[in-house]
Amino acid sequence: MGERGRRLVTDGEGSTSDDATAGGTEGTGDEDDRTALVRELYDAIPFHRELELEVLAVTPRKAETRIPFDGSLVGNPDLEVLHGGIISSIVDLTGAAVFIGHRGDYTPTVDLRVNYLEAAGKHPLYATATIERRGENIGVASVAVESGDAVCATGTGVYKLSD
Protein backbone atom coordinates (compact mmCIF):
# COMPACT_ATOMS: atom_id res chain seq x y z
CA MET A 1 0.00 0.00 0.00
CA GLY A 2 3.01 2.28 -0.14
CA GLU A 3 1.92 3.36 -3.63
CA ARG A 4 -1.09 5.05 -2.13
CA GLY A 5 0.65 7.59 0.07
CA ARG A 6 -1.58 10.06 1.88
CA ARG A 7 -5.34 9.88 1.73
CA LEU A 8 -8.33 11.83 2.88
CA VAL A 9 -10.14 10.21 5.80
CA THR A 10 -13.59 11.11 7.06
CA ASP A 11 -14.71 10.43 10.60
CA GLY A 12 -18.43 10.00 9.87
CA GLU A 13 -19.23 13.34 11.44
CA GLY A 14 -18.22 15.41 8.42
CA SER A 15 -14.66 16.12 9.56
CA THR A 16 -11.75 15.16 7.38
CA SER A 17 -8.05 14.70 7.97
CA ASP A 18 -4.98 13.52 6.13
CA ASP A 19 -3.92 9.99 7.04
CA ALA A 20 -0.68 8.38 5.95
CA THR A 21 -1.73 4.90 7.13
CA ALA A 22 -4.01 2.67 5.11
CA GLY A 23 -6.15 -0.20 6.22
CA GLY A 24 -6.02 0.34 9.96
CA THR A 25 -8.97 0.40 12.30
CA GLU A 26 -9.99 3.49 14.20
CA GLY A 27 -8.50 2.40 17.49
CA THR A 28 -11.90 1.15 18.61
CA GLY A 29 -10.65 -2.22 19.80
CA ASP A 30 -10.51 -5.69 18.30
CA GLU A 31 -14.17 -6.41 19.11
CA ASP A 32 -15.15 -3.62 16.72
CA ASP A 33 -12.97 -4.87 13.86
CA ARG A 34 -15.32 -6.56 11.41
CA THR A 35 -12.85 -6.81 8.55
CA ALA A 36 -12.45 -10.61 8.61
CA LEU A 37 -16.22 -11.18 8.57
CA VAL A 38 -16.79 -8.93 5.56
CA ARG A 39 -13.75 -10.37 3.74
CA GLU A 40 -15.14 -13.88 4.16
CA LEU A 41 -18.56 -12.88 2.80
CA TYR A 42 -17.15 -10.80 -0.06
CA ASP A 43 -14.52 -13.38 -1.08
CA ALA A 44 -17.34 -15.89 -1.70
CA ILE A 45 -18.74 -13.78 -4.58
CA PRO A 46 -17.22 -14.42 -8.05
CA PHE A 47 -17.72 -10.79 -9.19
CA HIS A 48 -15.70 -9.52 -6.23
CA ARG A 49 -12.94 -12.03 -6.96
CA GLU A 50 -12.93 -10.99 -10.64
CA LEU A 51 -12.45 -7.36 -9.60
CA GLU A 52 -9.80 -8.44 -7.07
CA LEU A 53 -11.75 -6.40 -4.52
CA GLU A 54 -9.83 -6.18 -1.26
CA VAL A 55 -11.57 -5.35 2.00
CA LEU A 56 -9.00 -3.26 3.88
CA ALA A 57 -10.90 -2.40 7.05
CA VAL A 58 -14.42 -2.50 8.45
CA THR A 59 -15.42 -0.95 11.78
CA PRO A 60 -18.85 -0.02 13.14
CA ARG A 61 -18.73 3.38 11.39
CA LYS A 62 -16.40 2.98 8.42
CA ALA A 63 -15.32 0.59 5.66
CA GLU A 64 -12.35 0.78 3.29
CA THR A 65 -11.80 -1.22 0.11
CA ARG A 66 -9.39 -1.37 -2.81
CA ILE A 67 -9.58 -2.52 -6.44
CA PRO A 68 -6.24 -2.73 -8.28
CA PHE A 69 -5.93 -1.20 -11.72
CA ASP A 70 -6.51 -3.76 -14.47
CA GLY A 71 -6.41 -2.90 -18.15
CA SER A 72 -9.45 -5.12 -18.78
CA LEU A 73 -11.54 -2.66 -16.70
CA VAL A 74 -10.78 0.32 -18.96
CA GLY A 75 -13.89 2.02 -20.33
CA ASN A 76 -12.18 4.42 -22.72
CA PRO A 77 -9.13 2.93 -24.47
CA ASP A 78 -8.14 6.29 -25.98
CA LEU A 79 -7.77 7.83 -22.53
CA GLU A 80 -6.99 4.60 -20.64
CA VAL A 81 -9.46 5.42 -17.86
CA LEU A 82 -11.57 2.99 -15.88
CA HIS A 83 -15.15 2.20 -16.82
CA GLY A 84 -17.76 4.05 -14.77
CA GLY A 85 -19.36 0.72 -13.84
CA ILE A 86 -16.24 -0.19 -11.87
CA ILE A 87 -16.46 3.11 -10.01
CA SER A 88 -20.13 2.57 -9.18
CA SER A 89 -19.37 -1.00 -8.09
CA ILE A 90 -16.74 0.07 -5.57
CA VAL A 91 -19.08 2.78 -4.26
CA ASP A 92 -21.85 0.21 -3.75
CA LEU A 93 -19.67 -2.54 -2.31
CA THR A 94 -17.86 -0.25 0.10
CA GLY A 95 -21.07 1.42 1.26
CA ALA A 96 -22.67 -1.96 1.89
CA ALA A 97 -19.59 -3.34 3.69
CA VAL A 98 -20.04 -1.21 6.79
CA PHE A 99 -23.62 -2.47 7.21
CA ILE A 100 -22.70 -6.06 6.34
CA GLY A 101 -20.11 -5.90 9.11
CA HIS A 102 -22.85 -4.83 11.52
CA ARG A 103 -25.44 -7.37 10.32
CA GLY A 104 -23.08 -10.27 9.75
CA ASP A 105 -24.90 -10.96 6.49
CA TYR A 106 -25.42 -9.47 3.03
CA THR A 107 -27.68 -6.46 2.63
CA PRO A 108 -29.56 -5.43 -0.52
CA THR A 109 -28.94 -2.03 -2.10
CA VAL A 110 -32.09 0.10 -2.19
CA ASP A 111 -30.64 3.14 -3.95
CA LEU A 112 -27.26 4.21 -5.26
CA ARG A 113 -26.11 7.63 -6.42
CA VAL A 114 -22.66 8.19 -7.89
CA ASN A 115 -21.03 11.53 -8.71
CA TYR A 116 -18.22 11.10 -11.24
CA LEU A 117 -15.82 13.95 -10.52
CA GLU A 118 -12.90 13.08 -12.79
CA ALA A 119 -11.50 10.16 -14.73
CA ALA A 120 -9.98 7.28 -12.78
CA GLY A 121 -6.62 6.61 -14.37
CA LYS A 122 -4.05 3.83 -14.17
CA HIS A 123 -4.10 3.64 -10.39
CA PRO A 124 -5.76 1.37 -7.87
CA LEU A 125 -9.11 2.60 -6.61
CA TYR A 126 -9.50 3.18 -2.88
CA ALA A 127 -12.93 3.75 -1.40
CA THR A 128 -13.93 4.85 2.09
CA ALA A 129 -17.52 4.62 3.30
CA THR A 130 -18.86 6.28 6.43
CA ILE A 131 -22.30 5.85 7.92
CA GLU A 132 -24.63 8.80 7.54
CA ARG A 133 -27.62 7.06 9.13
CA ARG A 134 -28.40 3.64 10.53
CA GLY A 135 -32.03 2.99 11.31
CA GLU A 136 -33.79 -0.28 12.03
CA ASN A 137 -34.71 -0.94 8.41
CA ILE A 138 -32.53 1.36 6.29
CA GLY A 139 -28.91 2.49 6.40
CA VAL A 140 -27.23 5.28 4.43
CA ALA A 141 -23.51 5.50 3.72
CA SER A 142 -21.42 8.19 2.03
CA VAL A 143 -18.49 6.99 -0.06
CA ALA A 144 -15.41 8.70 -1.50
CA VAL A 145 -13.33 6.98 -4.20
CA GLU A 146 -9.72 7.91 -4.89
CA SER A 147 -7.61 7.24 -7.96
CA GLY A 148 -4.01 8.32 -7.56
CA ASP A 149 -3.97 11.51 -5.51
CA ALA A 150 -7.47 12.66 -6.46
CA VAL A 151 -11.02 11.93 -5.41
CA CYS A 152 -12.50 10.67 -8.68
CA ALA A 153 -16.02 9.98 -7.40
CA THR A 154 -18.32 10.30 -4.44
CA GLY A 155 -21.55 8.50 -3.80
CA THR A 156 -24.38 7.65 -1.47
CA GLY A 157 -25.76 4.19 -0.95
CA VAL A 158 -28.99 3.24 0.76
CA TYR A 159 -29.18 -0.34 2.10
CA LYS A 160 -31.93 -2.52 3.51
CA LEU A 161 -30.99 -3.63 7.02
CA SER A 162 -34.01 -5.74 7.98
CA ASP A 163 -35.02 -9.15 6.64
Side-chain angles (χ1 to χ4, degrees):
M1 281 187 275
E3 67 191 88
R4 181 165 187 196
R6 303 184 74 74
R7 64 191 169 108
L8 190 63
V9 176
T10 59
D11 67 2
E13 301 295 326
S15 299
T16 59
S17 64
D18 240 356
D19 183 4
T21 61
T25 61
E26 302 167 348
T28 56
D30 289 340
E31 68 276 1
D32 290 337
D33 185 359
R34 296 162 181 178
T35 307
L37 168 69
V38 176
R39 274 186 190 147
E40 182 179 340
L41 289 169
Y42 272 20
D43 287 349
I45 298 176
F47 179 67
H48 299 175
R49 290 194 309 268
E50 187 68 28
L51 290 177
E52 297 183 44
L53 176 75
E54 181 182 0
V55 176
L56 300 174
V58 180
T59 68
R61 296 188 48 82
K62 184 166 80 171
E64 298 176 342
T65 63
R66 175 185 185 271
I67 294 176
F69 177 82
D70 182 333
S72 70
L73 304 177
V74 166
N76 184 332
D78 293 334
L79 300 177
E80 294 185 315
V81 296
L82 291 177
H83 191 283
I86 301 306
I87 307 297
S88 64
S89 292
I90 198 169
V91 168
D92 187 24
L93 297 171
T94 309
V98 71
F99 297 112
I100 290 170
H102 178 74
R103 284 177 43 100
D105 199 1
Y106 301 109
T107 181
T109 304
V110 175
D111 188 46
L112 184 67
R113 180 174 304 258
V114 179
N115 305 302
Y116 299 97
L117 305 175
E118 65 179 66
K122 290 181 156 183
H123 305 281
L125 295 177
Y126 289 89
T128 302
T130 54
I131 292 179
E132 293 295 323
R133 181 183 186 281
R134 182 184 348 225
E136 288 205 27
N137 298 313
I138 298 290
V140 180
S142 293
V143 183
V145 181
E146 297 176 39
S147 173
D149 292 333
V151 175
C152 63
T154 60
T156 303
V158 179
Y159 304 93
K160 183 177 178 189
L161 304 182
S162 59
D163 293 325

